[in-house]
Amino acid sequence: MTSKKLWQRYQDWLYFHDGLGFYLDISRMFFDDELIAKLEPKFNKAFLDMAALEAGALANPDENRMVGHYWLRNPDLAPPQFKKEIETTLIHIDDFVRRVHHGIIHPPYEPQFTDIISIGIGGSALGPQFVADAIGPDIPPLNLHFIDNTDPAGIDRILTRLKDRLKTTLVIVISKSGGTSETRNGMLEVKHAYNELGLHFPDYAVALTMDGSKMDEEEQCDRWLAKLPIFDWVGGRTSELSSVGLLSAALIGIDIKSMLEGAKIMDQATRIPELKNNPAALLALSWYAAGDGKGEKDMVILPYKDSLLLFSRYLQQLVMESLGKEFDLDGNIVHQGITVYGNKGSTDQHAYVQQLREGVGNFFATFIEVLEDRQGPSIEIEPDAMSGDFLFGCLQGTREALYENGRASLTITLERVDAINIGALIALYERAVGLYASLINVNAYHQPGVEAGKKAATQFLALQQLIVKVLRETPEPLSLESLAEKVHTPDQVETVYKIVRHMAINHRGLILQGDLHKPCEILVSYRTESA
């Protein structure tokens, strides 16, 4: 395409939102009028699907569950029974944060909290981490730390770094059902650390959970410093603008009202049932065109701003968990999904842009451009050139280099990284995922694969407990095959081997005898207390 035609295509497809100062350019995506005509009826249905969702239609009929994350930033749209819950929760967050910041709520024997440990996984961690890194102040009122895994060494690292400040650290535990093992484990590890210091854990703890959840019942969260609700109709990957993300953001000094306002404005823009005037629909079109509606191309997120580094990780869950489905809504096997990864500009120039330009063409790029270089003046690095000009040049040069080699890309441009624009970005991609899911006829709001993984993990741990029981009751060493027979899993010798190997190296009472190079010759026994 000639430069003149490309310039015209840019103008024809450029989206601009005056209120947000937000631009979306899809001119370097490869689609034509024929595809747009083909997708027109699908988009008409998608717009109706999204309107029905916001009106309270069941998104998960098998779970009898609505999906209402859009109501979080505009409670007036919510069913009456939810509107008051949303508004009351925001009032409680504001009141709790104010009292913490003013030392009205404080740890025993100390005037103020200095730190926060946020314990959660998946959407309960990725959203808060992204937002904190993107727009958290350089000197926050409280320092925020995350335990987002069940890795003992990772937990120890956080606790060791806090050291004496643990006695001035607020703990936020985020679990919708209260039964997520990773979050429960993190809570129990941190609770133990407080007990070891002679500190009463409930005096430091805040629960974000559903009423009557397993955690609520077992931990008696009403006796904690505070308890805030997680709504059944908000999924983890769309929970950042609920109490899950808003509490920690407000505690570290982020303007959560502006985040909600930015999301509300973007929601209004993405409700317009016209392709060219709806930025989320333009994203969905681009994704469909890039991967032929089958996810054949990866989505590479390249934000040219350090503060947006974690955006790709946040989008990994939002996009891949929402769209990665084996079955469509008609029960057909489709194996849908879009793989998401990313780095940041211009670090990516020195990491993998070489492959993006000249290697396997299995991707499309999403550039995120921020017009404001910094708050305050910049020095000249060269005559009439500043550091931000080099970053700008890297983005434009990479975009051009990719296009010259037939690699598709789109560009999102923000005036600056602030609370309004981060809220808008979150809302934009939430809507784009919903629209694209409708185009490809999958349910974006359930996750059977995740539930299958949880079930498998539970079965694995049950097998481990049975192995220990059998070994304790068996005085003589057993071969792996014999042990597998005794625990009724003769076809899972490899699994049994991996369990006993892990337990042995962690000094859990199991002894392995024999040549470790030859697992089939290993004998396993249990060391009793007297031994």
Side-chain angles (χ1 to χ4, degrees):
M1 188 178 296
T2 66
S3 296
K4 188 174 181 179
K5 287 184 177 180
L6 195 56
W7 167 235
Q8 187 60 52
R9 182 176 170 86
Y10 174 83
Q11 295 177 81
D12 290 343
W13 285 99
L14 179 65
Y15 174 87
F16 176 67
H17 192 289
D18 186 62
L20 292 169
F22 169 93
Y23 302 78
L24 174 61
D25 162 29
I26 64 168
S27 62
R28 269 62 174 180
M29 299 299 296
F30 304 127
F31 60 89
D32 54 24
D33 292 342
E34 183 179 347
L35 177 63
I36 293 169
K38 172 187 171 183
L39 292 180
E40 183 178 2
K42 290 179 179 288
F43 268 113
N44 290 337
K45 179 180 181 299
F47 293 137
L48 292 174
D49 288 345
M50 295 305 295
L53 195 73
E54 288 193 305
L58 292 181
N60 281 325
D62 53 331
E63 298 177 347
N64 195 34
R65 181 178 295 172
M66 291 180 278
V67 172
H69 47 275
Y70 305 104
W71 307 331
L72 296 168
R73 47 263 197 175
N74 191 350
D76 290 337
L77 297 177
Q81 67 269 33
F82 300 145
K83 180 177 185 289
K84 186 174 180 181
E85 283 186 297
I86 299 168
E87 293 173 337
T88 300
T89 300
L90 290 173
I91 291 170
H92 286 170
I93 289 173
D94 186 63
D95 180 62
F96 180 80
V97 170
R98 178 186 59 80
R99 291 193 290 158
V100 169
H101 285 171
H102 287 84
I104 300 169
I105 295 177
H106 60 86
Y109 317 115
E110 299 290 340
Q112 291 212 260
F113 284 105
T114 61
D115 294 81
I116 305 164
I117 295 176
S118 180
I119 304 173
I121 196 164
S124 299
L126 290 167
Q129 287 171 346
F130 160 57
V131 168
D133 201 48
I135 52 176
D138 294 334
I139 305 176
L142 291 91
N143 301 300
L144 181 57
H145 316 268
F146 291 94
I147 291 178
D148 61 354
N149 203 356
T150 187
D151 175 13
I155 295 169
D156 287 347
R157 175 180 291 180
I158 297 296
L159 297 176
T160 300
R161 286 174 176 174
L162 284 166
K163 294 183 180 178
D164 294 339
R165 296 206 311 278
L166 205 60
K167 63 186 178 183
T168 57
T169 296
L170 185 71
V171 182
I172 302 173
V173 184
I174 309 169
S175 181
K176 187 175 186 178
S177 67
T180 304
S181 59
E182 294 92 341
T183 303
R184 179 204 61 197
N185 296 352
M187 179 194 70
L188 293 176
E189 291 267 10
V190 172
K191 185 177 181 181
H192 174 73
Y194 276 78
N195 292 340
E196 288 288 291
L197 293 174
L199 303 174
H200 185 51
F201 182 69
D203 292 339
Y204 300 80
V206 177
L208 301 187
T209 191
M210 287 179 59
D211 283 336
S213 72
K214 185 176 180 180
M215 182 176 79
D216 191 16
E217 292 176 350
E218 293 182 359
E219 296 297 324
Q220 298 179 314
C221 296
D222 286 333
R223 299 182 182 179
W224 290 14
L225 277 179
K227 183 175 75 173
L228 292 169
I230 297 179
F231 305 124
D232 181 56
W233 36 268
V234 176
R237 56 192 175 276
T238 55
S239 65
E240 174 53 29
L241 297 178
S242 72
S243 60
V244 169
L246 297 179
L247 178 60
S248 60
L251 282 167
I252 66 170
I254 291 172
D255 182 357
I256 62 173
K257 291 181 180 178
S258 290
M259 280 180 62
L260 291 167
E261 182 63 21
K264 180 179 179 180
I265 293 170
M266 184 59 78
D267 282 343
Q268 293 166 344
T270 56
R271 286 191 190 104
I272 296 172
E274 301 168 13
L275 177 59
K276 278 197 171 185
N277 292 317
N278 184 322
L282 292 172
L283 280 183
L285 165 65
S286 299
W287 300 353
Y288 195 103
D292 196 26
K294 301 172 186 175
E296 294 175 350
K297 297 289 180 73
D298 300 344
M299 183 189 304
V300 183
I301 305 295
L302 301 175
Y304 277 65
K305 208 67 176 175
D306 287 358
S307 59
L308 298 179
L309 171 64
L310 298 184
F311 191 46
S312 61
R313 289 187 59 202
Y314 168 76
L315 289 181
Q316 278 177 339
Q317 184 190 20
L318 177 62
V319 173
M320 295 175 72
E321 193 167 89
S322 298
L323 302 179
K325 302 294 159 62
E326 181 177 5
F327 298 98
D328 68 11
L329 292 171
D330 299 319
N332 302 309
I333 295 177
V334 291
H335 296 295
Q336 276 285 1
I338 301 177
T339 301
V340 180
Y341 64 92
N343 200 332
K344 66 176 181 180
S346 62
T347 300
D348 56 68
Q349 305 280 133
H350 304 276
Y352 51 67
V353 163
Q354 170 64 31
Q355 177 168 314
L356 296 187
R357 188 174 190 275
E358 298 184 6
V360 182
N362 61 344
F363 73 94
F364 65 97
T366 298
F367 292 100
I368 302 179
E369 175 186 28
V370 180
L371 296 179
E372 182 180 81
D373 291 338
R374 61 156 48 107
Q375 292 183 357
S378 292
I379 63 169
E380 286 191 354
I381 302 300
E382 293 182 4
D384 297 320
M386 301 172 181
S387 297
D389 299 329
F390 282 84
L391 188 64
F392 170 77
C394 287
L395 186 158
Q396 301 304 331
T398 303
R399 173 175 173 268
E400 187 62 28
L402 293 183
Y403 183 75
E404 287 175 353
N405 259 27
R407 310 302 164 93
S409 72
L410 60 92
T411 303
I412 291 171
T413 301
L414 311 175
E415 286 189 354
R416 63 187 56 84
V417 177
D418 59 15
I420 287 180
N421 279 302
I422 290 300
L425 265 185
I426 290 169
L428 171 69
Y429 274 86
E430 286 176 350
R431 183 84 61 168
V433 161
L435 291 172
Y436 182 82
S438 182
L439 295 182
I440 61 173
N441 197 37
V442 300
N443 187 339
Y445 305 107
H446 70 163
Q447 50 280 335
V450 175
E451 300 308 318
K454 290 180 180 179
K455 183 178 179 181
T458 300
Q459 294 171 340
F460 185 90
L461 291 171
L463 176 59
Q464 176 174 300
Q465 292 169 339
L466 183 56
I467 287 171
V468 173
K469 181 177 183 294
V470 166
L471 288 173
R472 281 175 173 163
E473 295 172 349
T474 307
E476 70 277 4
L478 296 173
S479 68
L480 292 172
E481 288 79 5
S482 297
L483 180 55
E485 290 279 354
K486 285 182 174 289
V487 296
H488 315 298
T489 57
D491 59 339
Q492 295 185 43
V493 180
E494 181 181 342
T495 300
V496 169
Y497 163 64
K498 290 185 175 181
I499 288 173
V500 300
R501 182 182 64 181
H502 178 256
M503 295 189 73
I505 202 169
N506 283 285
H507 312 291
R508 304 280 293 282
L510 273 64
I511 302 171
L512 305 186
Q513 298 171 273
D515 187 352
L516 296 181
H517 290 91
K518 299 177 180 178
C520 62
E521 298 179 5
I522 289 174
L523 297 177
V524 190
S525 59
Y526 189 85
R527 186 196 304 272
T528 62
E529 291 296 327
S530 58

